[in-house]
Amino acid sequence: MAKLDRTLIRSFDLFQAMGDADLDAILATAESRLVPKGEAVFEQGQPAGEFFVLLNGRLKVIQVTPDGQQIVVRFVSPGEVYGVAVALGRPDYPGTAVAVAESLTLAWASQHWDLLVARAPRLAVNTLQTVGTRLQEAHTRIREMATEEVERRVAHAVLRLVEQAGRKTDGGVLIDFPVSRQDIAEMTGTTLHTVSRILSAWESKGLVEGGRQRILVRQPHQLFLLAERGERA
């Protein structure tokens, strides 16, 4: 593995409390990989021989349902543990992780999981928190799809992206990684045509400003009102 800047590694909660010796020991068993945009780190159904921590970039995790529908399960941010099938007792990966921007990741062989948890207990805590967050979000999305009209579901999806990766600019809050209208359709259980129609209507009202894989939320509060109470701008 190419030598990584220890300052970068320590910037993540996972590793902040570790001593130098423990940090060097776990990094010695890791492999760093540069993942070009559009390439998969692992694929759904593939044997789960590794687990990962994202250092830089952004990934999306997608699943294909038994009837062939593709859904975006979540996005992975820098500092997150992912692909932890070994911690869940799964022999394979339940989804496919694809880079939406060029990304740098650390990878460990699954047999090193127990060693890493022993040296970095925060890893187990972070993994448990991540799994809990994913489960809560999955329940929320199921409830939204069962009870809410599509415009409110899309509003909730965009606001979740803002919370995860929003960057304030002079014009509003920019979702700071490439996200397409197709991604939002797959997050909300609807069609590309429907998402395009909704976003175009929001653009005409000044709620958002779109572009190629770019969303700037110009009026976050109005979008929040629409998501929570279905109020029209």
Side-chain angles (χ1 to χ4, degrees), residues 33 41-52 61-63 82-86 88 90-97 107-110:
R33 294 179 191 161
V41 179
F42 54 79
E43 297 185 357
Q44 182 174 340
Q46 177 183 339
E50 296 176 308
F51 62 95
F52 310 85
V61 179
I62 59 177
Q63 287 183 337
Y82 67 102
V84 286
V86 60
L88 305 177
R90 283 192 64 114
D92 60 356
Y93 296 114
T96 298
W108 287 268
S110 292

Side-chain angles (χ1 to χ4, degrees), residues 11-34:
S11 68
F12 301 120
D13 290 344
L14 279 176
F15 305 111
Q16 283 181 351
M18 296 185 66
D20 289 346
D22 284 339
L23 182 59
D24 289 343
I26 68 168
L27 291 179
T29 62
E31 178 183 341
S32 62
R33 294 179 191 161
L34 190 64

Side-chain angles (χ1 to χ4, degrees), residues 37-149:
K37 180 179 178 179
E39 287 198 7
V41 179
F42 54 79
E43 297 185 357
Q44 182 174 340
Q46 177 183 339
E50 296 176 308
F51 62 95
F52 310 85
V53 172
L54 185 64
L55 296 181
N56 192 26
R58 194 79 55 165
L59 308 174
K60 68 177 176 181
V61 179
I62 59 177
Q63 287 183 337
V64 177
T65 65
D67 62 0
Q69 181 182 3
Q70 179 171 292
I71 59 173
V72 174
V73 178
R74 69 186 186 101
F75 288 89
V76 181
S77 302
E80 281 194 57
V81 182
Y82 67 102
V84 286
V86 60
L88 305 177
R90 283 192 64 114
D92 60 356
Y93 296 114
T96 298
V98 178
V100 298
E102 184 177 77
S103 300
L104 179 65
T105 192
L106 290 178
W108 287 268
S110 292
Q111 61 261 34
H112 292 305
W113 173 258
D114 290 338
L115 171 65
L116 261 69
V117 168
R119 287 185 175 269
R122 182 65 188 168
L123 183 65
V125 174
N126 181 280
T127 301
L128 182 61
Q129 290 174 338
T130 299
V131 171
T133 299
R134 291 181 207 164
L135 184 61
Q136 183 178 10
E137 183 174 322
H139 286 167
T140 298
R141 289 171 63 178
I142 290 170
R143 174 183 54 77
E144 289 171 0
M145 284 190 280
T147 63
E148 294 181 358
E149 63 179 12

Side-chain angles (χ1 to χ4, degrees), residues 176-221:
D176 200 16
F177 65 91
V179 57
S180 69
R181 293 184 174 193
Q182 182 64 42
D183 289 334
I184 295 173
E186 292 175 6
M187 293 172 66
T188 54
T190 188
T191 65
L192 173 60
H193 173 76
T194 298
V195 169
S196 295
R197 175 177 53 79
I198 289 170
L199 290 180
S200 295
W202 289 354
E203 287 180 12
S204 68
K205 297 173 182 177
L207 291 180
V208 302
E209 181 182 307
R212 190 174 184 274
Q213 297 194 328
R214 174 185 180 275
I215 299 177
L216 175 69
V217 180
R218 300 186 65 87
Q219 298 187 46
H221 180 66

